[in-house]
Amino acid sequence: MTGGPGSPAAASPARPGAARPAVPSVWNLANMLTMLRLALVPVFVALLFADGGHNPKWRAVAWAAFAIAMITDLFDGEIARRRGLVTDFGKIADPIADKAIMGAALIGLSVLGDLPWWITVVILARELGITLLRFWVIRYSVIPASRGGKLKTLTQGIAVGMYVLPLTGWLATGRAVLMGLAVLLTLGTGADYVRQAVQLRREGRRQEVLRGREA
């Protein structure tokens, strides 16, 4: 006879130490930093276009808002992973916040005539394409962030931040060179993500076929 009071089957649900791990609250430090970054997007846009968009003082304040947003991007994901604060909200909101602040800066600078539109289009098209690729393969696996991708993000952030500032002379030349490097990294890492996505989807479909044969 099984399932009696003294049987393992009956005792297993109440096994000591088998409690489920606590689910982190949405209102944790990592998510708060992400929400701060989202809140800074309209603030940054307003500062960027203040007084016609070319007032050095307002541009410096806009740069400060952009820099704070970029700093939160460096820390929120790391804090979430190290402290076990990863939530579904953070998984969705973090990339949205990243793309929102960067997209606002690129489009705003192009509208003001400070950054060529083709650069904005190339970077935003790549970001949209990678997002779609992630959804394309999410059924099978997750495309991990590469070192090249992280370097691309850092280079983009520094270059765009320099374009927000009213720089002249060798600093203006330097930011143009850095932006050129950012564009190259954008295209190179984008191509690598495409390669990874195709491989992951191909392997995922192959595994599905094998499981179907075994069933």
Side-chain angles (χ1 to χ4, degrees):
M1 179 176 181
T2 60
S7 69
S12 59
R15 186 184 306 163
R20 295 179 180 178
V23 177
S25 169
V26 172
W27 299 99
N28 61 59
L29 178 58
N31 286 347
M32 294 290 281
L33 290 174
T34 299
M35 287 186 275
L36 172 62
R37 189 157 71 258
L38 280 169
L40 280 171
V41 174
V43 175
F44 165 74
V45 172
L47 293 171
L48 183 65
F49 284 92
D51 196 20
H54 292 98
N55 184 308
K57 292 182 180 179
W58 284 113
R59 291 290 285 263
V61 179
W63 174 85
F66 181 79
I68 292 172
M70 290 294 99
I71 290 171
T72 65
D73 182 30
L74 292 175
F75 289 105
D76 58 358
E78 190 68 21
I79 290 173
R81 288 186 292 272
R82 288 192 176 187
R83 300 190 180 182
L85 301 176
V86 177
T87 63
D88 290 339
F89 171 82
K91 292 176 183 178
I92 296 172
D94 182 60
I96 290 175
D98 296 344
K99 291 172 176 57
I101 189 67
M102 184 59 69
L106 290 167
I107 293 173
L109 290 169
S110 292
V111 169
L112 291 171
D114 295 332
L115 185 69
W117 272 105
W118 72 266
I119 293 179
T120 295
V121 170
V122 166
I123 293 177
L124 294 184
R126 184 269 191 193
E127 298 302 325
L128 176 60
I130 297 305
T131 300
L132 294 176
L133 276 177
R134 290 184 185 277
F135 282 111
W136 188 54
V137 301
I138 197 171
R139 174 181 174 182
Y140 307 104
S141 185
V142 175
I143 304 176
S146 64
R147 290 184 179 179
K150 294 177 181 179
L151 179 60
K152 178 271 303 179
T153 300
L154 178 62
T155 306
Q156 277 185 7
I158 296 174
V160 170
M162 292 179 72
Y163 270 89
V164 172
L165 290 171
L167 302 178
T168 57
W170 67 269
L171 286 173
T173 302
R175 73 182 180 185
V177 172
L178 191 61
M179 182 59 77
L181 176 60
V183 171
L184 290 176
L185 287 170
T186 296
L187 295 173
T189 55
D192 185 58
Y193 275 120
V194 171
R195 178 189 60 79
Q196 290 186 61
V198 171
Q199 289 182 344
L200 286 172
R201 186 173 175 85
R202 184 181 298 157
E203 179 61 22
R205 291 174 69 90
R206 189 179 71 84
Q207 293 296 330
E208 280 188 337
V209 171
L210 290 175
R211 286 194 295 268
R213 291 176 180 174
E214 295 172 356

